[in-house]
Structures are given as structure tokens and as C-alpha cells.
Amino acid sequence: MRKLIAVIEVFVFLAFIFTGCAAPDTQEEDLIVIGMSQTGAESDWRAANTESMQAVFTEKNGYRLLYDDARQQQENQIAAIRRYIQEKVDYIVVMPISESGWDAVLQEAYDAGIPVIIVDRMVDISDESLVTAHVGANFYAEGERAVAWMENEFPADQEINIVHIQGTQGSSAQIGRTQALTEAVEGNPQWNIICSMDGDFTQAKTYEVMKEYLAGCEVLPEIDVVYCENDNEAFGAIIALGEYGYRIGEGGTQIIAFDATKQALLYCREGKISVCIECNPMLGPLVESCISAMERGEKVDRYQYVDEGYFTSVDITDELLDSRSY
């Protein structure tokens, strides 16, 4: 895009010479143009992720950010990428809704010479060279942290009934966190997944599917753990379980949540959530560092993961909550 802009500037300059008209301000044309496709706004984590990107890719920092909200539809993301290719943006940044179905459009971006950075979730493509870099979290490792907490929390010989609330099907977060739990259940004969449902990473849907499940039980089951694949699912599950009389927290049904947003940490301090597995949404600076490196002609690492941990009630301090911007 910047090469095209340079040609346009030449014609503008010639027009200025021959007509005596004032040349326009070219500051905007010097900006690095980023075309970004976000999955939507399904969760508090996603909103923070968007804000992180928008805070970094500003005109003050030398960027023009073209933003597209896909509204949880992959076809919207593919259409946005093709539009960015036509507009000859300098870089394309995508937070993919699901892992599959990207080969054709990413090949188009590659053929157009536009680097693509995948953020948060990953893509399953036949040719990895179509993606310049992936910036995000190791979702399987996050699941392993949750599983390790369960193994430490419950005696090895105790039978555990687990309700598993999955995230958006086919997304990297769902795949990694589900895989970790599935493998752990296979390795622990006393662990039982009594119900698995799709919460789509939202509070509203999780509330609905959890209530539907409980309403269909002739006798309410004993539930030791609800493994929620993000914070918003945990919020919905807690409300539904409370309406059916379940005791939440230690000595009752323990809630596992992923993301560790400020609201979830508050719930954790109150004992409503037993453990928050961190998934850092503030990925804007890391993405920007990749683009800055490429602008300098440097090669960037294909996979870049953020540092993350997990929190229980004893870890939740006022300082931690005050420092949480999401």
C-alpha cells in the first residue's frame, strides 16, 4: 500500500507544481496500515483483547488500524481479509474463530505479499509459511494447569463428577483446554465427566444449557467440579447452579475458570470460583513488536506465547485487582 501511496504522491506533487494548488498533508499516507479481523465481542476477555490492539495501533504510533468485527461468523472474517487484500494493506491481523477453513484466503494474502499475523487462537493450514507469526497463549498448557490443580485438590481415590462446559467448537482455546481435561480423565479412573455441553464462551448460553441439563435430571446429580473454558461461562454456570440449590465453592461444587479477568478474580476471592487459569488478552504490544521487527527487515519467531499463571483465593490481593485492566 505504501508503494502505491508513493506513486500517488508524485502525481499530487506534479499537480501542485502546475496548478499552484497547496499539496495535502501526507502524514496520514505515511502510516503503516493494519487490517484486523476480530472474532466479535463474546466475552470480557475479547473486549480487553480488542482494546489492547486499538491502544497500540494508533496514528500517534504510526499506524492506521482498519477494524472488522466478524460477529462470530468465519465467513465474515474471510470476506474482511479479502477486502484488506484488495485495499493493499501492509499487514493483516486475524483472531480466528475456528482453526480450519483458512488455506484459500491465506494463500491469497501470501500471493499478494501481505504478511499475516494470527493472534490468540491458531489456524490449521497445510502450508505454515502462509502465516508469518502466531501471537497468543498455549491453551493446552492452560488446561494442564487446571488439571494439576484438580489432582492436588482431590485425593487420588476420590470419585469426582465433572461437568465440562466447552467453548466455541473448533477454536484453539476449546481444543487445547478440552484435550487437557480429556487426557486427564483417561488417566484418572475416578474422574467422570457426567455431562459435556457447549457454552460458546458466553454467560447467556452457558446459563441456558446448564439449566436445561439440570431441569432434565430426575434427581439432581452430585457435581464436584464444573470445568468452564472461560470466565463468562463460569458466571453463567454459577447463576444456574445457584438457582437449583447447589452450594458453590469449597465443600460443594468447585468452579474452574479460564482467563482471570478482574470480575473472575473477585469471584475467586469470594470463593465462587476455586481457581482462575490466566489467559492474557493484552497482546497488542507483542503484535506491534513483531510488526516493528519486520519493518526493520528482521525475521520474527513463528510462535510467540505470553507468560501466564493461575490464581486461587489466597493469591487475590487488592494490588492484583487494582493492576487488572480487564
Side-chain angles (χ1 to χ4, degrees):
M1 173 172 276
R2 281 171 288 173
K3 292 180 180 178
L4 176 62
I5 290 172
V7 173
I8 293 172
E9 288 177 346
V10 170
F11 284 105
V12 171
F13 179 70
L14 291 174
F16 169 71
I17 292 175
F18 289 109
T19 66
C21 297
D25 182 4
T26 60
Q27 181 179 1
E28 184 176 352
E29 282 76 6
D30 292 333
L31 300 175
I32 299 170
V33 181
I34 311 295
M36 186 177 101
S37 177
Q38 180 62 278
T39 64
E42 79 282 0
S43 65
D44 299 333
W45 189 99
R46 187 63 55 191
N49 180 239
T50 298
E51 290 172 5
S52 174
M53 305 296 290
Q54 292 173 333
V56 168
F57 293 110
T58 64
E59 292 191 8
K60 180 180 179 181
N61 291 338
Y63 299 96
R64 184 194 308 152
L65 179 64
L66 307 180
Y67 174 77
D68 177 79
D69 182 337
R71 303 183 302 280
Q72 298 298 312
Q73 300 295 321
Q74 186 176 16
E75 56 266 31
N76 292 341
Q77 292 198 294
I78 292 173
I81 293 171
R82 288 190 168 130
R83 185 170 65 253
Y84 293 147
I85 293 171
Q86 292 176 350
E87 295 173 357
K88 296 182 173 62
V89 302
D90 298 307
Y91 297 90
I92 293 175
V93 175
V94 184
M95 293 74 167
I97 291 170
S98 62
E99 290 196 354
S100 61
W102 297 101
D103 289 82
V105 72
L106 293 185
Q107 183 68 57
E108 293 170 27
Y110 182 86
D111 293 341
I114 302 175
V116 175
I117 299 174
I118 300 298
V119 177
D120 178 29
R121 304 169 184 176
M122 301 183 74
V123 293
D124 182 9
I125 50 179
S126 56
D127 182 0
E128 288 192 353
S129 68
L130 300 182
V131 171
T132 301
H134 168 260
V135 174
N138 187 327
F139 300 113
Y140 177 74
E142 291 175 356
E144 287 187 310
R145 294 186 191 102
V147 167
W149 177 85
M150 291 172 64
E151 290 174 338
N152 290 328
E153 181 70 14
F154 297 97
D157 59 350
Q158 179 180 339
E159 186 169 343
I160 303 174
N161 288 339
I162 304 166
V163 169
H164 180 195
I165 304 178
Q166 299 182 2
T168 301
Q169 296 298 302
S171 68
S172 299
Q174 179 270 317
I175 292 171
R177 294 164 185 169
T178 293
Q179 180 183 353
L181 178 62
T182 301
E183 292 177 358
V185 170
E186 291 173 352
N188 289 276
Q190 299 297 99
W191 292 15
N192 308 302
I193 297 180
I194 61 173
C195 180
S196 184
M197 59 189 76
D198 179 9
D200 201 26
F201 289 135
T202 71
Q203 177 174 330
K205 185 171 182 180
T206 300
Y207 172 75
E208 292 174 2
V209 295
M210 178 63 86
K211 283 197 68 175
E212 182 180 354
Y213 165 64
L214 296 174
C217 297
E218 292 185 6
V219 178
L220 289 177
E222 181 178 342
I223 303 174
D224 299 295
V225 174
V226 182
Y227 185 98
C228 303
E229 291 189 347
N230 83 338
D231 290 343
N232 290 80
E233 289 183 343
F235 302 155
I238 288 169
I239 296 171
L241 289 165
E243 290 180 1
Y244 276 80
Y246 281 87
R247 177 182 174 184
I248 305 299
E250 188 174 355
T253 300
Q254 305 221 49
I255 308 294
I256 294 174
F258 292 82
D259 286 351
T261 58
K262 189 170 186 176
Q263 184 60 51
L265 293 177
L266 284 167
Y267 273 30
C268 188
R269 184 164 70 173
E270 296 170 3
K272 295 178 181 178
I273 292 176
S274 295
V275 60
C276 285
I277 310 300
E278 185 176 29
C279 183
N280 191 340
M282 312 306 285
L283 301 176
L286 191 52
V287 176
E288 199 274 336
S289 70
C290 288
I291 292 176
S292 294
M294 285 187 279
E295 286 292 301
R296 295 191 298 270
E298 300 172 6
K299 186 177 180 180
V300 298
D301 293 335
R302 185 172 298 278
Y303 299 102
Q304 301 191 33
Y305 296 127
V306 291
D307 293 329
E308 298 171 330
Y310 71 94
F311 306 95
T312 62
S313 60
V314 297
D315 303 310
I316 314 301
T317 63
D318 290 338
E319 290 75 17
L320 174 63
L321 292 171
D322 290 340
S323 69
R324 219 61 168 176
S325 60
Y326 55 91

